Amino acid sequence: MTETKVPERTARLEEQLCFAVYQAGHAFTRMYRLALAELGLTYPQYLAMLVLWDGDGVTVKALGERLSLDSGTLTPLLKRLEAAGLIRRERSRQDERQVHLYLTDAGEALREKGACVPAAMGEAIGEIVNSDGRLLGDLKALREALLKASDHS
Amino acid sequence: MTETKVPERTARLEEQLCFAVYQAGHAFTRMYRLALAELGLTYPQYLAMLVLWDGDGVTVKALGERLSLDSGTLTPLLKRLEAAGLIRRERSRQDERQVHLYLTDAGEALREKGACVPAAMGEAIGEIVNSDGRLLGDLKALREALLKASDHS
DNA sequence: GACAATTTAATTGTGCGCAATATAAATCAT
DNA sequence: ATGATTTATATTGCGCACAATTAAATTGTC
C-alpha cells in the first residue's frame, strides 16, 4: 500500500457537471439571440412572453414562480416589455398589492412570430440530442436534487 | 379527418429543453453560492480560479477560451480577484498586448479550501442524477450542437 | 522601413440575477 | 377596532454576460 497522497487535484473544469450546464446555458442564449432579436426580445423577456401567451392576467408573483425569478429581476424586465408596448401592468382593485399582466394587441400579435422560434431551434438541434426526452428528464431531476440540497430554509 | 387546426400553441415552457437548462443553471449557482461565499468567491470567479489552479501564467485570452468568456466579462472579474489578493495580472514583456495571470500565495492557499467544494456538491447530488456521466456527455453534445447551429460566421 | 491588417485587452452601455431593503396593502390576533 | 405580522411589488446595489468600440502592440506586405 503505497500511500501516495496526491495533493487532491480539483476536478478538471470540463468534467464538472455544473460547468457543462453553465456552458450549455450560454450556448442556448447565444443560439436564441439572433432569432429573438428579430422579435425585439431578450431570452428572459421571451420566457415571460411564453407564460403570458399561455394565459395572461397572471400576477407578477405567479409569473415569478413559473420562471423562478423575483421582483428584483421581473419589475424592470416587465417595465421594458410595457415600454415596448407588448404588455400592460394593472394593479388589482381587489388586492392593491398585486399587479396583473395583460397582453396588448401587439403582444398578442407577436405570438405567431414567436411560435416559429422553438421550431427553428428544435429542428436544428432538438432531435439530435434530446432523442426521447431523456435529457429533459435528467435536467429536471438535476434541478430538483439541487433545489432540495440547497434548501437553506 | 377532422382538420382541427389548433392555433399552433407554443410549447409549454416546462417542456422546453432551453428552459430546463436555464433552470438547472440557476439551481447550480444557488447551490454553490453558500459554499463559495465562504471562500469569498462568486461562481464565475470560482471557475476562473479552477483554471488557474490547474496551471497559472495563462493569458486572459486563454482563460477566456477555456471559459467561453470575453474581456468585457473577464477584465472586471480579474480586477476583483486581484483586489482580493488572489491573483496578479502581469503584462507580458515579450508581447505587451497580453496579460498573464498568476496565483498569489493567498490564491494558491485557497486551492485546498476550494477542493472540498465540488466534493460536497457531488456527494449531495452528483451520483443521484449523473449516474454514469451520461448527463455530462449529453450536455456536451448539446453544447456542440448549439454552437454549430448558431455559428453565425 | 512604412503602412495596413490583425490581435489582445480594456472600456462603455444595456440587461439580467439576486440579496437586501423599503413600502404599502392585506390579514391575523387580541 | 388596533396593532403586529405577513404578503406583493418596487428599489438599490453589485456582479456577471455580451455587443460594440477603442487603444495599443504585433505581424504581414510591399
Side-chain angles (χ1 to χ4, degrees), chain B residues 95-112:
Chain B
D95 185 339
E96 295 227 345
R97 289 171 303 181
Q98 304 185 93
V99 169
H100 293 272
L101 306 168
Y102 299 96
L103 292 168
T104 61
D105 290 347
E108 188 67 57
L110 199 66
R111 183 205 300 260
E112 290 188 26

Side-chain angles (χ1 to χ4, degrees), chain A residues 3-119:
Chain A
E3 180 107 6
T4 44
K5 185 133 186 178
V6 179
E8 179 70 59
R9 285 178 53 61
T10 42
R12 280 195 78 245
L13 190 65
E14 288 74 9
E15 300 315 315
Q16 298 207 25
L17 191 58
C18 62
F19 186 65
V21 172
Y22 175 83
Q23 294 272 67
H26 289 174
F28 255 125
T29 56
R30 178 178 174 192
M31 168 129 194
Y32 271 85
R33 193 179 311 278
L34 203 81
L36 291 179
E38 292 174 22
L39 309 190
L41 295 176
T42 66
Y43 181 64
Q45 288 167 8
Y46 170 68
L47 293 179
M49 292 302 288
L50 275 181
V51 173
L52 295 182
W53 287 330
D54 193 36
D56 67 348
V58 295
T59 64
V60 173
K61 165 93 165 150
L63 176 64
E65 278 170 0
R66 195 87 179 274
L67 299 178
S68 305
L69 295 173
D70 66 5
S71 69
T73 300
L74 286 177
T75 298
L77 183 153
L78 294 170
K79 281 183 177 176
R80 280 187 281 271
L81 289 179
E82 189 175 42
L86 298 174
I87 67 170
R88 281 182 297 116
R89 301 188 305 144
E90 259 181 40
R91 202 160 279 275
S92 167
R93 283 263 199 301
Q94 289 75 32
D95 184 340
E96 295 227 345
R97 291 171 303 180
Q98 303 187 99
V99 170
H100 292 271
L101 305 168
Y102 299 96
L103 292 167
T104 62
D105 290 347
E108 188 67 58
L110 199 65
R111 183 207 299 260
E112 290 187 27
K113 288 182 69 177
C116 49
V117 171

